[in-house]
Amino acid sequence: MSKGAQTRLNRTKNISHPTEYVNALLNECADWAFNEEEAPAFKGLWREKVFKAKEDSFLNLEIGPGNGRHFSHLCQKHPEQKFLTVELKYKPLIQTVRRLKKQGLTNGRGLRYNAVLLDHLFKNLELNNIYIHFPDPWPKKRQRKHRLLAESFAGKIYKLQRPGSFLEIKTDDQAYLLEAKHIFKKAGYVLRKYTQDLHQDSKRDSAFFQKLSQFELLFVKKNTPVGFLSLEKP
């Protein structure tokens, strides 16, 4: 995959044979999600225009929501805060938005966009906390140039976050997690927590499983260690 292919954004409205999820983005979920042409228009204006919120309200971002389990949990747990999620693929984006609609969670919205291009969507110091759970590890050496958690990306989101905000990363790829720790510390972040087995001593009750993302739930059920990295922008 070329660099151009990585950052290319095909227009939703130009898809000749739209799937159920493409149609849902244009119709059923149009008030809950923004396509690649609509989203950039709100750069710097998400609080004011989308959520009718004050400038000092929290605006958080999750990158790659899966089917929306964790994202909806965040929206439900923090009703006073606002949440956006970025996803390039239509199916997980619509699954996430439908989950919000079903639960009546009006403090969350979905964006169909490429996370590599977050600076198209947000101005500097616009975001608070960012969650990145189980990004594609691209494990083969020749694939690593496609990884999201790279130096260029770390420098970009550092500028987008407000001081005192945190960045949370989870992955089952321990080598990728260790590499990410060095990359984000180099970008200026301060380490809050790093562990290669987040759930080693966790109590596995219903509340525990409720907050897990789709991928995290699978790893926990297989007893696969989940690595966790939490950093703060000073």
Side-chain angles (χ1 to χ4, degrees), residues 47 56-60 80-83 128-129 165:
R47 289 174 176 82
D56 61 351
S57 61
F58 268 63
L59 179 66
N60 306 313
E80 77 287 357
Q81 299 184 18
K82 313 305 176 186
F83 294 87
N128 291 102
N129 304 324
S165 302

Side-chain angles (χ1 to χ4, degrees), residues 32-233:
W32 292 75
F34 302 91
N35 66 36
E36 66 292 332
E37 293 183 273
E38 298 167 328
F42 293 101
K43 181 177 180 177
L45 301 170
W46 291 103
R47 289 174 176 82
E48 175 189 355
K49 297 296 185 181
V50 175
F51 294 109
K52 313 302 180 186
K54 295 181 180 179
E55 178 61 22
D56 61 351
S57 61
F58 268 63
L59 179 66
N60 306 313
L61 175 70
E62 180 170 26
I63 298 175
N67 65 6
R69 278 178 57 93
H70 179 255
F71 187 69
S72 63
H73 170 76
L74 288 173
C75 293
Q76 188 173 44
K77 185 178 180 181
H78 303 285
E80 77 287 357
Q81 299 184 18
K82 313 305 176 186
F83 294 87
L84 296 170
T85 186
V86 171
E87 173 57 62
L88 185 60
K89 297 179 181 178
Y90 293 98
K91 183 175 180 179
L93 178 64
I94 296 305
Q95 286 179 329
T96 297
V97 170
R98 283 175 173 169
R99 189 182 291 267
L100 294 181
K101 291 181 64 178
K102 184 177 181 180
Q103 297 180 30
L105 299 171
T106 59
N107 60 329
R109 294 291 188 275
L111 316 178
R112 195 257 162 174
Y113 220 78
N114 193 322
V116 174
L117 305 173
L118 286 184
D119 54 331
H120 291 193
L121 304 176
F122 306 105
K123 69 176 185 179
N124 290 350
L125 304 178
E126 186 171 9
L127 292 171
N128 291 102
N129 304 324
I130 296 179
Y131 304 83
I132 308 176
H133 291 180
F134 303 96
D136 193 329
W138 294 101
K140 296 180 180 179
K141 189 174 182 179
R142 67 175 183 275
Q143 298 174 330
R144 291 179 184 175
K145 61 184 178 181
H146 303 316
R147 285 180 166 179
L148 178 65
L149 306 183
E151 286 190 17
S152 58
F153 179 75
K156 182 180 297 184
I157 65 170
Y158 184 87
K159 294 177 182 178
L160 299 180
Q161 285 189 281
R162 293 182 172 181
S165 302
F166 67 74
L167 169 65
E168 181 178 291
I169 299 170
K170 292 183 182 180
T171 178
D172 64 309
D173 189 317
Q174 303 296 343
Y176 192 18
L177 187 70
L178 182 60
E179 181 180 335
K181 183 177 76 166
H182 295 310
I183 286 173
F184 285 96
K185 287 181 67 178
K186 184 178 179 181
Y189 286 93
V190 176
L191 183 65
R192 297 173 74 205
K193 182 176 180 178
Y194 171 76
T195 176
Q196 294 185 336
D197 193 350
L198 178 62
H199 305 306
Q200 184 177 13
D201 300 315
S202 297
K203 181 181 179 182
R204 309 293 176 88
D205 56 13
S206 58
F208 168 80
F209 287 105
Q210 184 180 13
K211 67 183 180 181
L212 301 184
S213 67
Q214 175 188 11
F215 288 108
E216 192 168 4
L217 184 63
L218 293 174
F219 290 129
V220 168
K221 288 184 175 180
K222 293 179 180 178
N223 290 316
T224 301
V226 172
F228 177 77
L229 176 61
S230 178
L231 307 116
E232 181 176 327
K233 177 178 177 177

